[in-house]
Amino acid sequence: MYVVLGASGNTGHIVAKTLLARGQKVRAVGRNASPLQPLAANGAEISIADVTDAAALTKAFQHADSAYVMIPPNPTSNDALAYAERVSDAIAAAAKNTGVRNIVSLSSIGADKPSGTGPVVGLHNLEQKLNRIDAANVLHLRGVYFMENTLPQASAIRAMDCTAGPLRPDLKLPMIATRDIGAAAADALLQLAFRGKQTQELHGQRDLDYTEVTAIIGTAIGKPNLKYVHLTDDQIRPALIQMGMSDNFASLLLEMTSALNSGYMRPLEPRTARNTTPTPFETFVAESFVSAYQQQAAA
């Protein structure tokens, strides 16, 4: 039995679908039943649990051999790191209480650092807690900058006829489609080749800076002269809050972008065939960004 947290989310639903397609028993865990129904239709057992509730997660982990775990984002929280601590405490308690033998966790580059990386500090702490479970084999998948992080640029283009953000325009970032993280996690759970406590970075298909990102987006939406505007933290903060983030989460996000800009938060592994994933940014833009941009136009 495989347990999958965040089973209706970007990475979790790929993990669950892949395992089900391979004929495995899957318990899909989420806060609400409705988004999990497509997985139930494909044979998954559904478990409703709040990820901060250790007792509920312990019940969800019962009789499972392996688990995919992650901290669902909570951008409206007024203390996002305290929320992450509650989630990681509950996950670690459930895994320890039930004796799950194999755990794949969604982590991030920068999780090697105990501070100064914004929300990634919560992932550092999750890694540490899982590493203290002696009986479990644990693989931490450290993803890079999500391609999905570019989706809010659709509204920026509509409002300002440019892309904009706090990252340096010349900062080369490895960028990954979240579906590739889900595929890598499912593969790791099927193979179970990891032992002890391990980390593996996932670098996406290639490194891009936001000038290149903007050019790719501009070509796809018929704006070949689209430009990227580098904003200060004070300029971008009101936009983040207008998007629905709490001031606390916005501050953490800006701390993370500052850590990326300075190089404090960066990959530790060289790019190899093992950590390079297949989806190019052009494919993500064609399949996801263009529709998001068109929906902005319709709205």
Side-chain angles (χ1 to χ4, degrees), residues 1-16 19 26-29 51 57 61 64-71 91 100 102-107 126 130 139-141 146 178-189 194 202:
M1 170 69 76
Y2 292 91
V3 169
V4 178
L5 298 191
S8 62
N10 283 340
T11 62
H13 92 276
I14 297 291
V15 176
L19 293 173
V26 173
R27 185 176 295 137
V29 183
V51 286
L57 287 189
F61 279 43
D65 301 305
S66 305
Y68 174 70
V69 304
M70 47 92 72
I71 299 176
I91 291 171
V100 173
N102 308 293
I103 302 169
V104 173
S105 81
L106 174 59
S107 189
L126 173 64
L130 294 177
L139 174 64
H140 305 293
L141 291 179
F146 290 177
T178 54
R179 68 187 186 192
D180 288 350
I181 297 175
D187 188 56
L189 286 166
F194 56 94
L202 297 173

Side-chain angles (χ1 to χ4, degrees), residues 159-219:
M160 302 184 295
D161 204 32
C162 64
T163 63
L167 289 168
R168 292 183 0 236
D170 62 340
L171 176 68
K172 289 281 191 180
L173 282 174
M175 300 182 71
I176 192 166
T178 54
R179 68 187 186 192
D180 288 350
I181 297 175
D187 188 56
L189 286 166
L190 286 164
Q191 293 189 26
L192 294 179
F194 56 94
R195 293 291 179 270
K197 311 301 187 281
Q198 297 181 19
T199 62
Q200 179 188 341
E201 292 183 355
L202 297 173
H203 286 195
Q205 188 259 348
R206 71 188 192 277
D207 295 6
L208 293 166
D209 60 42
Y210 251 91
T211 301
E212 294 167 320
V213 162
T214 300
I216 293 166
I217 291 172
T219 298

Side-chain angles (χ1 to χ4, degrees), residues 28-63:
V29 183
R31 190 167 48 185
N32 300 301
S34 179
L36 300 173
Q37 291 313 304
L39 295 173
N42 285 321
E45 178 185 328
I46 302 304
S47 179
I48 306 305
D50 187 305
V51 286
T52 62
D53 186 339
L57 287 189
T58 297
K59 184 178 178 183
F61 279 43
Q62 289 290 345
H63 310 301

Side-chain angles (χ1 to χ4, degrees), residues 209-255:
D209 60 42
Y210 251 91
T211 301
E212 294 167 320
V213 162
T214 300
I216 293 166
I217 291 172
T219 298
I221 63 172
K223 289 180 173 287
N225 296 318
L226 193 68
K227 302 297 182 188
Y228 174 69
V229 177
H230 183 206
L231 301 178
T232 66
D233 286 3
D234 287 343
Q235 289 172 318
I236 197 72
R237 183 187 298 273
L240 297 176
I241 293 171
Q242 188 176 11
M243 287 166 54
M245 293 182 192
S246 68
D247 184 70
N248 171 259
F249 194 86
S251 294
L252 289 171
L253 198 66
L254 292 171
E255 180 178 86

Side-chain angles (χ1 to χ4, degrees), residues 17-31:
K17 280 175 58 178
T18 304
L19 293 173
L20 288 167
R22 293 286 294 272
Q24 303 299 319
K25 293 181 179 179
V26 173
R27 185 176 295 137
V29 183
R31 190 167 48 185

